[in-house]
Amino acid sequence: MLKGYLRKDGKKGIRNYTMVAYTVECAHHVAREIQYPYRESGVHVIGFHGCAPNDYANEMMQALCTHPNVGAVLIVSLGCENLNKEALEKEIIATGRLAKTITIQESKGSRTSINLGREWVEEQLQVLQKQPLVDMPMEELIVGTICGGSDATSGITANPVIGKVFDSILSQGATAIFEETGELIGCEHIMAERAATPELAKQLVKTVDKAKDYYMKMGFGSFSDGNAKGGLSTIEEKSMGAYSKSGNSKINGIIKPTIAPTTNGLFLLDVVPDGDPMFGWPNANDNAEIAELIACGSHMVLFSTGRGSVVGSAVAPVIKICANPETYTNLVEDMDVNAGKILTGEASLDDVANELEQCVIDVANGELSKSEQLLHQEFQLAYKKFNELEPGCLPG
Amino acid sequence: MSSKKILILNSNDNVGIVISNITKGDVIFLNEEMISATSDVSFGHKIALKELPVGTIVKKYGVPIGVTTTDINPGDHIHVHNIESLYMKQYTK
């Protein structure tokens, strides 16, 4: 049995964080200054840089500010931006969380806003500290996964290890989310064979086709120069490696950012925008995808890396699984699990999967992952546009 | 010990993954045959296990990962210079 924090909406979190949420880049500095003294006390900064309105950004901010790991939110607004801070505050309060908005243009300015913000954060930390931990069954845990800085080792060590851990926690009733349809190009038909229903099988192929069309219009696939240096030659080769993170379990549904899985089980998160490319690349970097996994309710994210990413995230812990034994040696400070041991013959896939599953349980129970210890609290939210989910994507 | 230099993920594969840096001329023992590396190949990269004429589907994990753009000999380094995606081109510096 895990331990978590019970929220008034009935969901349970594995952290009791306070968010300082800026609603336009113009309020970012003030938000960062408010957070700075508390950055080791579970206070994170998230926000949206844009001033022009965007439904996706509004929904992402709402989903993240009401995430089970979040207990209190301070909204920091400049005052004239378009992000719907009123609806955001209303939504946070409706879920029984502590919330306040500071509008810089109505607060004498930056210094006063910073002081007011710190006072409020200080008070919330006192309140949150008193919140007891409650039992949290495995059935209530949601785990996301991503790979970043992939090389040829990712697909043969760390990613299959994550797949095995997914199969194991899914068999214990947990929910798991994998993503990045642009990195499933080439796997669509074998993936479709795992769909829970024939309708979902069609949607899985369609979702990857959408990603393929989108990337074709952008000119290139989701493939970096570092991928090639690491020995990967084509997008479909990279895809096969990425796909193995999803394990062998049945796929229960497709979700889009901010849509939480509607049942337990395994879900594919479609992060590629709908329609013609409008705001640029589907995701500028890994943290944009991590934020989307979290906005769908992931309590934590398992991050596989071969070349060696060091990022963490705001809102939810990131556990880093290093695929490449050489990279592990070079980045030992940042890596939670060394899956490179599989290549050097020191451990089997099953050994490392057991180690990672224990790490998932420990981190769920409050142990800090390496990126949390190092205060990696990266956050990225860009403009995007999505249509509603099509019929057949969700179970039932 | 040369056999430990590569990993073959699926019996249908026509490439092996280099798991210990290979130097030109190194001999790699497969089940009943042996191949000789025609160039240095670094860790993580792929090496051809057999002759792959231009237009051959390259298989790793037992599935297609691209197509050859030139005639390839056993022991050749397989990478962006001699195979391409069946789906889309990609950016390299």
Side-chain angles (χ1 to χ4, degrees):
Chain A
M1 186 74 80
L2 307 171
K3 294 282 180 191
Y5 299 95
L6 177 62
R7 306 297 171 198
K8 293 199 172 120
D9 57 9
K11 293 186 176 154
K12 288 172 193 159
I14 60 166
R15 295 290 184 272
N16 208 11
Y17 287 152
T18 299
M19 292 299 126
V20 180
Y22 62 91
T23 50
V24 63
E25 182 59 24
C26 321
H28 191 169
H29 171 73
V30 168
R32 202 163 40 209
E33 284 296 306
I34 292 170
Q35 177 239 15
Y36 195 78
Y38 311 106
R39 66 199 183 105
E40 293 186 56
S41 313
V43 180
H44 294 181
V45 174
I46 61 172
F48 184 55
H49 66 283
C51 186
N54 184 247
D55 289 340
Y56 161 82
N58 277 315
E59 287 158 14
M60 281 291 288
M61 289 301 286
Q62 287 187 17
L64 292 162
C65 289
T66 58
H67 186 278
N69 288 352
V70 175
V73 184
L74 176 67
I75 299 167
V76 184
S77 157
L78 176 65
C80 45
E81 68 275 21
N82 275 301
L83 193 117
N84 195 339
K85 61 178 177 179
E86 294 83 5
L88 179 60
E89 190 189 86
K90 212 171 142 190
E91 179 71 18
I92 299 165
I93 290 170
T95 60
R97 287 173 172 81
L98 308 159
K100 179 188 170 74
T101 301
I102 291 178
T103 303
I104 301 168
Q105 287 169 350
E106 297 165 8
S107 307
K108 302 244 182 280
S110 300
R111 188 171 293 115
T112 306
S113 299
I114 293 165
N115 290 338
L116 281 172
R118 286 183 182 171
E119 264 170 45
W120 190 84
V121 166
E122 189 96 32
E123 283 166 27
Q124 307 328 303
L125 289 176
Q126 303 295 327
V127 176
L128 292 178
Q129 224 168 38
K130 295 191 191 102
Q131 187 170 351
L133 281 162
V134 298
D135 284 342
M136 176 171 164
M138 197 62 147
E139 287 86 344
E140 294 182 43
L141 185 71
I142 307 180
V143 180
T145 191
I146 180 176
C147 46
S150 295
D151 67 13
T153 64
S154 303
I156 52 180
T157 62
N159 293 352
V161 162
I162 291 173
K164 277 180 179 285
V165 171
F166 265 20
D167 286 338
S168 171
I169 62 170
L170 285 163
S171 75
Q172 296 167 62
T175 296
I177 308 174
F178 68 111
E179 55 92 52
E180 187 36 326
T181 44
E183 293 167 10
L184 292 168
I185 292 168
C187 310
E188 56 272 26
H189 297 290
I190 50 171
M191 179 165 69
E193 288 171 15
R194 290 167 56 197
T197 64
E199 294 75 27
L200 179 63
K202 278 186 210 136
Q203 288 293 343
L204 284 168
V205 174
K206 200 171 162 185
T207 303
V208 176
D209 282 345
K210 181 183 87 173
K212 190 170 64 193
D213 290 346
Y214 196 101
Y215 277 102
M216 291 286 259
K217 283 177 188 155
M218 297 301 288
F220 295 103
S222 178
F223 192 93
S224 76
D225 188 64
N227 296 147
K229 287 203 171 70
L232 296 172
S233 308
T234 63
I235 182 63
E236 54 267 43
E237 181 182 11
K238 179 178 172 179
S239 292
M240 271 311 295
Y243 173 65
S244 62
K245 296 198 300 303
S246 68
N248 287 312
S249 306
K250 180 175 73 179
I251 299 170
N252 295 86
I254 300 171
I255 52 176
K256 288 182 180 180
T258 75
I259 298 174
T262 49
T263 61
N264 293 19
L266 178 62
F267 287 79
L268 169 65
L269 168 59
D270 174 14
V271 299
V272 174
D274 291 306
D276 282 332
M278 191 184 275
F279 301 116
W281 290 95
N283 282 308
N285 54 50
D286 295 326
N287 275 101
E289 291 164 53
I290 292 174
E292 290 177 329
L293 283 165
I294 297 169
C296 292
S298 300
H299 289 97
M300 67 171 80
V301 174
L302 309 184
F303 189 133
S304 147
T305 185
R307 303 285 290 174
S309 172
V310 298
V311 303
S313 180
V315 190
V318 172
I319 294 175
K320 286 215 290 303
I321 303 102
C322 189
N324 185 322
E326 203 175 309
T327 306
Y328 182 80
T329 308
N330 290 339
L331 285 174
V332 69
E333 291 171 4
D334 291 86
M335 298 299 158
D336 294 280
V337 174
N338 175 15
K341 284 186 291 194
I342 296 161
L343 279 181
T344 54
E346 294 160 75
S348 68
L349 266 174
D350 285 320
D351 294 337
V352 181
N354 290 337
E355 186 185 335
L356 175 59
E357 187 169 337
Q358 191 55 51
C359 182
V360 166
I361 291 165
D362 292 342
V363 168
N365 280 327
E367 200 168 287
L368 298 183
S369 70
K370 290 275 180 78
S371 53
E372 284 184 292
Q373 291 167 27
L374 292 161
L375 303 177
H376 276 286
Q377 297 163 5
E378 287 87 347
F379 183 75
Q380 173 97 42
L381 175 56
Y383 281 101
K384 275 193 173 186
K385 183 178 181 292
F386 285 97
N387 299 335
E388 304 265 308
L389 278 175
E390 289 186 12
C393 288
L394 290 176
Chain B
M1 294 303 287
S2 305
S3 60
K4 293 252 176 77
K5 282 183 177 286
I6 64 165
L7 194 63
I8 300 166
L9 294 176
N10 187 292
S11 55
N12 292 320
D13 290 356
N14 47 23
V15 296
I17 304 159
V18 173
I19 55 170
S20 170
N21 285 340
I22 283 179
T23 310
K24 182 177 177 178
D26 276 358
V27 173
I28 298 151
F29 295 93
L30 306 175
N31 279 339
E32 311 218 316
E33 309 158 54
M34 51 183 236
I35 54 171
S36 172
T38 58
S39 67
D40 293 355
V41 187
S42 22
F43 176 85
H45 286 240
K46 295 173 291 300
I47 196 161
L49 302 179
K50 51 185 78 163
E51 242 174 67
L52 305 172
V54 61
T56 307
I57 297 289
V58 181
K59 283 191 166 185
K60 176 180 165 187
Y61 301 101
V63 299
I65 60 154
V67 59
T68 58
T69 54
T70 175
D71 291 337
I72 291 173
N73 292 310
D76 280 358
H77 179 206
I78 295 244
H79 201 26
V80 291
H81 61 286
N82 54 14
I83 73 168
E84 67 182 14
S85 169
L86 293 157
Y87 287 81
M88 60 180 68
K89 63 179 178 178
Q90 51 248 339
Y91 175 78
T92 48
K93 277 181 202 162

